[in-house]
Amino acid sequence: MTSNGSTVHGNSTQRILIQTSCYCVIDGVTSTIRKLEAHLLSSNPDTQICILTTKSGDLSNLDNYLNLVPSHLHLTVHPRRTVIFVDALKLPVMDIYSYRLGLRLSPSSLQSIKAFNPTVIHSTVPDLLNLDLLSHSRHTQTPYVSTFHSDYILYMDYYEAKWIKIVLENYMRHTYSFTPELYVPTKYYKRLLSSPDYNLGGVTVIKDWPRPVDTYKFNPKHRSQHWRSSMGFKASDIVVCYCGRLVVEKNPDKYIKVMKALEKKGYGDKVKGIVIGDGPLLEVMRSSFDSNYVKCTGWLEPPELAVAYASSDLFLFPSGCETFGNVTLEACASGLPVIVEAGCSEHLVEDNGYAIEDQDDYYKRTVELIEDEGLRRRMAENSIILSKRFDLEIVCDKMAKIYEEAKPPKNDAPDNKFNFPWGRVEHPWVLIGIEVVFWILVTSCVQLTKLYEWSKRTPVINVAAAAAGNLLAIVLLGIGKLVPKAQAGGGKMSDRLGGMLALAILFPLSCKEVQRKVN
């Protein structure tokens, strides 16, 4: 029973608020949310869903992806699903995908949330917006659930931004210290987030919630020789599939290396490749091969994606930063042996493929499966068996049970050695200061990129004046956006004043720590 008198499970009214930064960018995170959302709406006629997100990505994806709206309703939007858009910060590194970071809850957004009157709040990303939600949930005593989907700290290793890791580590510990329970997708991440590098186990209770797969949609029955022929694949060809974003952290270079080695060793006549996905490295992938050897399809809609999986013969996905591996699970459900990175993807390997530790083994294991048809078939059957443990209904029903048992955020974060040391409230002043600086830095990067392009065709004096004006505007706008919201979290003024003093030593300490790690 929640503070508003509604239960969250069974036949009673469910009003579930799901917060995610980029709902209209179709990736592993939003695919998981949409599967959960569709299941909850279809399994209980009293369920209402509210999505809290930014205007990122293609807004046409709001309702037309994964068949959220049943066809028999003859509607363009689901009658029991609403969306609230919030202010966002543009991320220059991820701009190719239109990724945005949620900032603050505006008064109008907060009023919309109050009107929806959620019985449970589900946060899927620890962005700046999440702290406002935590504060609202704590004050209204609304049950709160957090799920872990992306390892932002690990991403910094791939984008030459290791200097920011210590700030992110402290920020995540602070955020999750107010969260009753944090649900992670695998045992590997449960161990990792409890390790000294993260220490989240010191501030919250970490439990597991895996990811679902629709074993009806992703199924070997969708294998199609007609589709293979349309791609230029013969019936006898062994097709090696890669599916995922073509970005540096997914290690597509390792797929390229394996496929080039196969071609060099004379396997080109019996082996073909298919790369499903898009990203900044798409042209690198295309230029690495003859199009008759490796086909790059870009993103595929779910019906054709299922056919592409099932019409392949093995799945080679060397990504080292998967928090679960949705695409690997979809490949398993489609009846493919899998060759994946050990650690982050090993939970999906049980005599149905290989979890690779030595990088040279990617090639060796691929050749092994190419040469041994009996082994390939046996591992394909085992992949199907494994995928059934993650069936959509089983996994989503588990989350419905988690909603039922959810608790409100902690009234006061625990004071221990792992926790953020500058305030026992959601938004201590030190964090407001860091947010202002972060906002200014990121926005400056975006503006400087635009200014650089403009400077190529503009007199120097105009460029200098524009740069100075932009910088002043950014600083003032950043302070105006973030600082006035500081009081939303409540709490003692001593906490906030202590935070202001800590801000003065935060960045020197961060630089010192980064220098120590680098050395």
Side-chain angles (χ1 to χ4, degrees), residues 489-510:
K492 297 179 180 178
M493 183 57 68
S494 58
D495 288 332
R496 302 184 182 282
L497 293 176
M500 293 177 71
L501 178 62
L503 179 60
I505 63 172
L506 173 66
F507 289 103
L509 285 178
S510 297

Side-chain angles (χ1 to χ4, degrees), residues 151-311:
D151 191 344
Y152 299 104
I153 294 175
L154 178 62
Y155 288 170
M156 298 304 104
D157 291 338
Y158 291 91
Y159 291 99
E160 302 299 326
K162 293 183 179 181
W163 59 272
I164 204 173
K165 288 177 71 170
I166 188 172
V167 177
L168 287 177
E169 289 165 4
N170 277 278
Y171 173 78
M172 289 180 68
R173 281 194 288 270
H174 173 75
T175 299
Y176 288 126
S177 68
F178 292 93
T179 302
E181 295 170 337
L182 173 63
Y183 288 88
V184 301
T186 67
K187 292 180 180 178
Y188 169 80
Y189 259 96
K190 189 173 183 179
R191 294 193 304 270
L192 182 63
L193 296 183
S194 299
S195 71
D197 288 338
Y198 293 79
N199 274 328
L200 295 185
V203 299
T204 189
V205 177
I206 300 178
K207 296 184 177 181
D208 66 282
W209 178 64
R211 301 295 180 257
V213 64
D214 190 329
T215 53
Y216 177 79
K217 289 182 179 178
F218 294 100
N219 193 292
K221 69 181 181 182
H222 298 304
R223 188 175 180 89
S224 167
Q225 183 53 46
H226 175 74
W227 186 89
R228 284 170 63 97
S229 297
S230 72
M231 293 287 112
F233 304 147
K234 301 190 298 290
S236 59
D237 286 338
I238 298 169
V239 179
V240 181
C241 177
Y242 172 105
C243 180
R245 289 186 293 123
L246 291 169
V247 291
V248 62
E249 66 266 26
K250 300 293 184 180
N251 296 331
D253 57 303
K254 295 180 181 178
Y255 179 89
I256 293 174
K257 183 179 178 181
V258 170
M259 295 304 291
K260 279 185 172 293
L262 289 171
E263 188 176 31
K264 185 177 180 180
K265 294 292 185 180
Y267 285 97
D269 291 337
K270 64 183 296 188
V271 174
K272 296 294 185 288
I274 184 166
V275 175
I276 305 165
D278 200 351
L281 298 180
L282 176 59
E283 290 309 314
V284 174
M285 183 68 77
R286 280 180 173 156
S287 63
S288 298
F289 305 104
D290 184 291
S291 61
N292 293 320
Y293 178 51
V294 174
K295 296 285 186 181
C296 296
T297 67
W299 290 119
L300 298 178
E301 292 298 313
E304 188 176 4
L305 176 60
V307 173
Y309 276 131
S311 301

Side-chain angles (χ1 to χ4, degrees), residues 383-424:
S383 277
I384 297 169
I385 294 170
L386 180 143
S387 69
K388 294 184 184 302
R389 300 209 302 263
F390 301 94
D391 183 72
L392 183 69
E393 186 170 343
I394 295 172
V395 175
C396 290
D397 281 347
K398 181 176 180 179
M399 179 51 70
K401 184 67 174 177
I402 290 171
Y403 288 156
E404 178 184 336
E405 298 174 350
K407 302 173 184 176
K410 304 167 187 175
N411 280 324
D412 208 18
D415 189 6
N416 61 45
K417 64 180 181 179
F418 300 124
N419 196 37
F420 193 74
W422 302 303
R424 301 279 72 81

Side-chain angles (χ1 to χ4, degrees), residues 420-436:
F420 193 74
W422 302 303
R424 301 279 72 81
V425 293
E426 292 90 345
H427 262 128
W429 274 107
V430 63
L431 198 51
I432 299 296
I434 293 172
E435 290 172 6
V436 171

Side-chain angles (χ1 to χ4, degrees), residues 40 47 74 136 187 226 287 340 350 392 488 506:
L40 292 170
T47 294
H74 304 292
H136 171 75
K187 292 180 180 178
H226 175 74
S287 63
V340 294
E350 294 179 8
L392 183 69
L506 173 66

